[in-house]
């Protein structure tokens, strides 16, 4: 049986680990009530993301957890019969990594260290060095973190390793250097959706994309968590609000349907592809902060004022509200920050 309900979370997380764990417990409970077998939580759900990517404060970095930290084991116990993917800062001894772990009540099912680091992250993290899929009770999964999904090779590597579901964990903010008057025109909002849909469609797999909401330092996170089918269609999404995007998918059937005529993985021509090339300008790019991770004092300026809620200025086209009957959005009622 390959039919599974997949939940992708949009929520805010910070430095208070006990608060984060309580929020994770609430999200797991909400996902379980919806019948979800897989829950994908955002990047840095345990400990929060970096507050300043231009000049990260060494005293204000996310708490680093060992791979076998008791908090990760507590998440596994909370997951019980479910499969849960969660992001955290991994203490790798001499290096720290932006990492994700996939767990169930049986323990750790898979791990990933973020491979592609935007310029600001190199001051805090070392890059991972591989993409590997792994088997779980809900199917074979591969994980990506944030900037990883910008690179087609990341998702393709996982698909070639047999991944049927891609779990993309993000802490992806709105554009700071190229502000738009409304969220609907935000460049990073458009790219976030574009990458999610492209990675699913080009590999003909199911993709669950989670993201943080709220603000950290000068960044305001997008939300926009979603479940995407193997044809690139969005099955469920949260928009900018905290909540769960839940979709019921017969994974094997949908993948077979997408690959019935055109089978992208089988029809590749590797001998025609350039697999290496000059990385000209790489050092210059690392010296400047990419716009999606730039730092600024205001979260999002609009005609409504600099502190307007994102949902107040987000124009959603009417047709975008149509969600298949088997999919739905579950709003969350708890506050963005600890009281």
């Amino acid at each position: 049986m390959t039919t599974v309900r997949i939940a992708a979370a949009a929520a805010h997380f910070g430095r208070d680990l006990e608060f984060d764990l309580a929020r994770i417990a609430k999200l797991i409970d909400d996902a379980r009530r919806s019948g979800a077998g897989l829950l994908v939580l955002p990047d840095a759900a345990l400990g929060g993301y970096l507050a300043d990517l231009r000049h990260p404060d060494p005293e204000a970095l996310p708490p680093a957890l060992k791979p076998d930290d008791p908090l990760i084991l507590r998440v596994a116990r909370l997951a019980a019969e479910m499969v849960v993917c969660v992001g955290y800062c991994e203490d790798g001894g001499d290096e720290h990594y932006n990492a994700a772990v996939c767990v169930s009540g049986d323990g750790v099912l898979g791990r990933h260290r973020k491979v592609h680091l935007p310029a600001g992250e190199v001051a805090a993290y070392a890059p991972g060095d591989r993409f590997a899929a792994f088997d779980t009770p809900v199917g074979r999964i591969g994980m990506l973190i944030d900037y990883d999904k910008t690179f087609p090779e990341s998702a393709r590597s996982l698909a070639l390793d047999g991944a049927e579901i891609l779990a993309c964990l993000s802490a992806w903010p709105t554009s700071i250097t190229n502000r738009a008057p409304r969220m609907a025109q935000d460049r990073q909002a458009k790219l976030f959706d574009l990458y999610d849909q492209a990675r699913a469609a080009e590999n003909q797999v199911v993709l669950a994309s989670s993201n943080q909401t709220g603000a950290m330092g000068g960044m305001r996170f997008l939300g926009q968590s979603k479940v995407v089918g193997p044809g690139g269609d969005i099955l469920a999404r949260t928009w900018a609000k905290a909540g769960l995007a839940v979709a019921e998918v017969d994974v094997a059937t949908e993948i077979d349907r997408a690959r019935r005529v055109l089978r992208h993985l089988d029809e590749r021509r590797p001998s025609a592809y350039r697999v290496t090339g000059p990385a000209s300008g790489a050092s210059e790019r690392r010296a400047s902060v990419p716009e999606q991770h730039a730092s600024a004092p205001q979260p999002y300026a609009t005609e409504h004022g600099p502190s307007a809620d994102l949902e107040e200025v987000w124009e959603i086209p009417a047709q975008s509200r149509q969600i298949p009957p088997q999919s739905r959005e579950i709003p969350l009622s708890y506050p963005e920050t600890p009281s």
Side-chain angles (χ1 to χ4, degrees):
M1 179 177 178
T2 58
T3 300
V4 60
R5 285 199 175 189
I6 300 171
H12 179 71
F13 298 90
R15 295 287 182 266
D16 187 333
L17 287 168
E18 287 300 324
F19 175 82
D20 292 342
L21 190 66
R23 173 149 294 176
I24 288 170
K26 175 69 165 64
L27 285 161
I28 289 175
D29 185 60
D30 287 345
R32 179 174 287 117
R33 289 174 184 273
S34 77
L38 169 64
L39 170 63
V40 180
L41 295 164
D43 178 24
L46 283 170
Y49 190 59
L50 301 178
D52 184 349
L53 279 164
R54 196 176 298 273
H55 302 291
D57 181 354
E59 303 300 320
L61 298 178
L65 308 178
K66 292 288 187 182
D68 59 352
D69 190 279
L71 280 178
I72 294 175
L73 301 180
R74 287 169 68 181
V75 175
R77 286 196 294 271
L78 288 168
E81 81 291 353
M82 292 173 57
V83 174
V84 176
C85 299
V86 59
Y88 71 107
C89 174
E90 180 188 324
D91 181 353
D94 294 337
E95 304 280 8
H96 289 174
Y97 300 91
N98 190 342
V101 62
C102 185
V103 299
S104 72
D106 292 329
V108 173
L109 303 173
R111 296 184 182 274
H112 176 61
R113 290 171 171 173
K114 184 175 179 180
V115 172
H116 300 98
L117 304 181
E121 281 195 15
V122 297
Y125 301 118
D129 60 5
R130 72 196 65 186
F131 293 97
F134 50 91
D135 294 320
T136 79
V138 297
R140 192 161 174 83
I141 291 177
M143 293 190 290
L144 303 171
I145 299 177
D146 200 74
Y147 197 39
D148 280 339
K149 70 180 175 185
T150 304
F151 300 85
E153 297 87 350
S154 305
R156 177 56 51 87
S157 296
L158 292 170
L160 289 173
D161 197 23
E164 304 162 305
I165 301 170
L166 300 183
C168 300
L169 299 80
S170 293
W172 196 291
T174 59
S175 175
I176 299 299
T177 60
N178 186 21
R179 289 183 181 275
R182 296 181 181 277
M183 178 65 107
Q185 287 84 47
D186 183 85
R187 182 174 183 272
Q188 289 305 320
K190 291 179 179 179
L191 286 175
F192 189 76
D193 283 350
L194 175 65
Y195 293 142
D196 284 340
Q197 292 178 267
R199 298 297 87 90
E202 67 197 6
N203 294 293
Q204 299 171 304
V205 295
V206 176
L207 182 147
S209 174
S210 61
N211 196 21
Q212 291 224 25
T213 60
M216 175 69 77
M219 294 177 291
R220 183 90 178 185
F221 299 110
L222 288 168
Q224 295 188 194
S225 296
K226 65 184 73 67
V227 180
V228 185
D233 47 319
I234 296 177
L235 305 179
R237 67 182 305 160
T238 65
W239 302 105
K241 298 180 181 179
L244 292 174
V246 180
E248 186 172 68
V249 185
D250 186 329
V251 176
T253 297
E254 291 304 315
I255 289 176
D256 285 346
R257 181 178 290 117
R259 298 176 180 178
R260 185 171 297 158
V261 176
L262 300 177
R263 300 179 64 87
H264 299 167
L265 300 184
D266 295 341
E267 294 161 358
R268 294 173 304 115
R269 297 276 183 163
S271 62
Y273 306 150
R274 184 184 297 277
V275 295
T276 60
S280 59
S283 59
E284 290 81 2
R285 287 194 297 273
R286 279 183 174 272
S288 62
V289 179
E291 65 166 347
Q292 70 265 35
H293 291 294
S295 144
Q298 297 296 336
Y300 202 84
T302 71
E303 67 272 23
H304 296 265
S307 61
D309 291 337
L310 292 181
E311 50 266 32
E312 293 178 357
V313 299
W314 196 340
E315 293 183 346
I316 304 173
Q319 67 271 22
S320 298
R321 294 181 181 274
Q322 297 175 4
I323 296 176
Q326 74 273 22
S327 308
R328 57 183 174 140
E329 172 190 339
I330 302 177
L332 303 182
S333 58
Y334 45 74
E336 287 289 357
T337 56
S339 56

